Amino acid sequence: MTDGTDETDETDEMDGTGGGTERAARARRLAAWHGAERTLARGPAEVRIAERLAALTTALTADTASYDGDGWVDIYGDGIVEELERRVAELLGMEAAAFFPTGTMAQQVALRCWAGRTGSPVVALHPLAHLDVHERDAYLTVSGLRAVRPTSEPRPPTAEEIRGLDEPFGTLALELPLRDAGFVLPEWDELVAAVAAARERDAVVHFDGARLWECTAHFGRELPEIAALADSVYVSFYKSLGGLSGAALAGPETLVTEARAWRHRYGGQLFQQWPVALAALDGLDHELPRLPSYVAHARVVAEALRTAFTAAGVGWSRVHPEVPHTHQFQVWLPYPAAVLDEAGVRLAEETRTVLFRRWREPGPPGLATTELTVASSALEWTADDVTAAAGAFLTRVRELTEAPGLTDGNG
C-alpha cells in the first residue's frame, strides 16, 4: 500500500500476464489526473519530467531560496547535502543528522546501531508499522533483529501495554503517525507516557517520523519538543514535503557518526545527490510552513465527505479518523475497488476534477478503502465543493454498479 496520491503500487500489477493492459490503464489514469484542473493534492507520479525539472530550476533561482545555486555540486555527501543535514538537525533540535537515500535504510541502520549499544536485538513495534509491513522484514533478515508486539489494535500502543510486555526489549519504535491504521496519533500525554514506559524498561526510543512534519498541529507542540522525547528520529523528504526522495536520521552526534559508517556499508554513500537535496531544502522552505493549514483543511474535507455520503444514502461509509490527526486520512466505501477506481477516472476525464485515486480491498470483498491527502491545491476547495465532487463521484459509482459486465477498473 502506498500513499493515496501516488502510483507506485502499480509495479506489481504490471509484472504479470496482464502487463500491457495494466500499462494502458495506468497511462489513462495518469493522463486523467494530470489534466485535472481541480485536485486535493497533486500526486508525484502524475508530474511530467520537464515539469519537475522546471520546478527544481525555479527553486534554485528563487529569491527566497536558502541555498546558493552558484555553489558546487556535492561529492559523496558534502556541500548541499551537508547543508540539508544541518537544517534537519536544527529543525528537530537534535545534535546531528545524516542524509539517507531511503527511509528503509535509515530505519534499519538506526535499529542496528541501537541494538549494538543496548546489547538487545529485540525491538518493540506495532504490527502495522512501516518497519513490519513495508520493509520486507529487513530488520530480521538483514540485521538479525526480532520484534515483540505491545498491541495488535489499530492504534498506537499505550504505556500500560509497553510496560506490560513479558520480555525485555532494547528499542521501542513508534511510527508517528501510524499510517496503516489511518494516520493516527496518540494524544500528547499518551505519547509522553509511552516513552516513559520504555525508559522504565531500560529501552531507547526511535521515532519512525516519516510524516513527523505534520504532527505539530495534533500535538500542539513544535518539532524540537516532539523529537526530544526520542533518542533518534527518521524523517522523510518526499512524503509530506514534495521532495524527489531521501530521508534523514537525526540523533546524538555519536549515533549519527556510527550511522554514517553503516550507511556506507549498506550502499547509501551515493556519488552525487544534489537534485534530491535541493528538492528537500525547497520542501523545508515552502511546504513545511504550510502543513498546519493542510491539517486544518483536512478536517473540513473529512466533514464534507461524511455529509455527502449521508446525503447520498450510502449504506455504509467511514472517514477515519472522523477528525483527521494529520493532513491524510482513510475513506471506506461499500463498493468494489475496481468500480471506485473507474468512477474516479471518469470523474477526472469528464469534469477535470480529481477527488479519489486508487482503492484497495484489504478486508471483505466489496468493501474498499483509499487514502486521501489534503495539500495546497485543496485550500481552494470549500466544503460545498467537496460535497458536490463526492456527489458526482457517487453518481458514477451507481452508474457502474448498475451496468452489467464490469469486471475490472479499465472501463
Side-chain angles (χ1 to χ4, degrees):
M1 183 171 65
T2 58
D3 289 355
T5 55
D6 68 32
E7 276 276 304
T8 55
D9 58 333
E10 306 246 349
T11 302
D12 291 340
E13 296 179 12
M14 293 189 289
D15 286 342
T17 56
T21 301
E22 284 301 329
R23 279 190 289 271
R26 182 176 189 269
R28 178 189 170 208
R29 281 190 290 270
L30 290 178
W33 297 343
H34 182 270
E37 296 175 346
R38 305 193 67 199
T39 179
L40 293 175
R42 183 67 67 181
E46 62 204 62
V47 178
R48 299 189 187 280
I49 293 173
E51 294 168 340
R52 198 64 175 96
L53 286 172
L56 282 177
T57 301
T58 300
L60 191 62
T61 57
D63 293 336
T64 56
S66 59
Y67 31 87
D68 182 9
D70 291 328
W72 299 105
V73 295
D74 65 295
I75 301 294
Y76 290 120
D78 62 3
I80 192 172
V81 177
E82 289 179 328
E83 183 173 346
L84 175 60
E85 292 172 338
R86 286 193 296 270
R87 286 280 303 279
V88 170
E90 180 181 352
L91 282 167
L92 297 177
M94 294 289 200
E95 288 183 5
F99 179 86
F100 280 80
T102 72
T104 296
M105 185 185 295
Q107 299 236 88
Q108 299 312 313
V109 167
L111 294 184
R112 185 165 195 148
C113 290
W114 286 127
R117 288 161 180 253
T118 63
S120 172
V122 183
V123 182
L125 57 84
H126 198 287
L128 289 178
H130 194 280
L131 280 158
D132 230 17
V133 179
H134 299 292
E135 298 183 12
R136 300 193 70 167
D137 297 325
Y139 68 88
L140 171 66
T141 58
V142 177
S143 300
L145 309 180
R146 66 182 181 89
V148 293
R149 322 289 185 192
T151 182
S152 60
E153 295 295 318
R155 54 160 175 74
T158 66
E160 291 74 16
E161 290 164 340
I162 294 167
R163 197 176 288 113
L165 277 167
D166 59 5
E167 60 180 302
F169 57 95
T171 304
L172 171 66
L174 294 175
E175 183 177 342
L176 301 175
L178 186 57
R179 177 267 186 92
D180 280 356
F183 304 96
V184 294
L185 289 163
E187 295 304 314
W188 176 253
D189 290 345
E190 294 171 338
L191 178 60
V192 172
V195 170
R199 306 286 187 213
E200 293 172 18
R201 300 293 302 267
D202 297 322
V204 297
V205 177
H206 169 73
F207 283 172
D208 174 347
R211 298 171 174 85
L212 190 73
W213 308 115
E214 63 265 30
C215 294
T216 56
H218 177 82
F219 287 137
R221 303 292 195 281
E222 296 301 318
L223 286 168
E225 187 174 359
I226 300 170
L229 294 177
D231 297 283
S232 61
V233 178
Y234 139 66
V235 290
S236 172
F237 295 126
Y238 75 89
K239 287 181 168 58
S240 301
L241 301 181
L244 293 176
S245 61
L249 176 64
E253 182 70 57
T254 55
L255 176 79
V256 172
T257 298
E258 181 184 0
R260 289 193 174 103
W262 281 108
R263 178 183 63 189
H264 197 172
R265 295 181 181 120
Y266 273 65
Q269 188 75 359
L270 303 185
F271 178 56
Q272 287 192 336
Q273 301 166 102
W274 61 267
V276 173
L278 172 62
L281 284 166
D282 186 57
L284 292 176
D285 283 344
H286 298 105
E287 279 299 292
L288 181 57
R290 298 172 183 166
L291 287 176
S293 67
Y294 301 168
V295 177
H297 202 60
R299 296 165 183 170
V300 175
V301 172
E303 177 61 30
L305 287 174
R306 284 198 299 274
T307 299
F309 297 154
T310 300
V314 177
W316 188 95
S317 65
R318 187 177 183 187
V319 174
H320 176 68
E322 287 191 5
V323 178
H325 296 174
T326 72
H327 72 312
Q328 296 178 290
F329 55 91
Q330 293 177 342
V331 175
W332 293 75
L333 288 175
Y335 303 99
V339 169
L340 297 172
D341 280 349
E342 177 64 17
V345 173
R346 292 189 183 186
L347 181 69
E349 290 173 335
E350 295 165 9
T351 71
R352 306 194 75 175
T353 297
V354 175
L355 183 60
F356 304 116
R357 286 177 172 79
R358 299 309 307 278
W359 294 78
R360 63 188 189 92
E361 297 177 41
L367 181 62
T369 183
T370 190
E371 295 175 339
L372 205 61
T373 298
V374 173
S376 59
S377 56
L379 300 182
E380 302 174 359
W381 292 48
T382 66
D384 288 343
D385 292 333
V386 176
T387 55
F393 172 77
L394 291 171
T395 295
R396 286 160 177 80
V397 171
R398 291 194 188 93
E399 293 171 352
L400 288 163
T401 55
E402 293 169 0
L406 178 68
T407 58
D408 58 40
N410 302 320

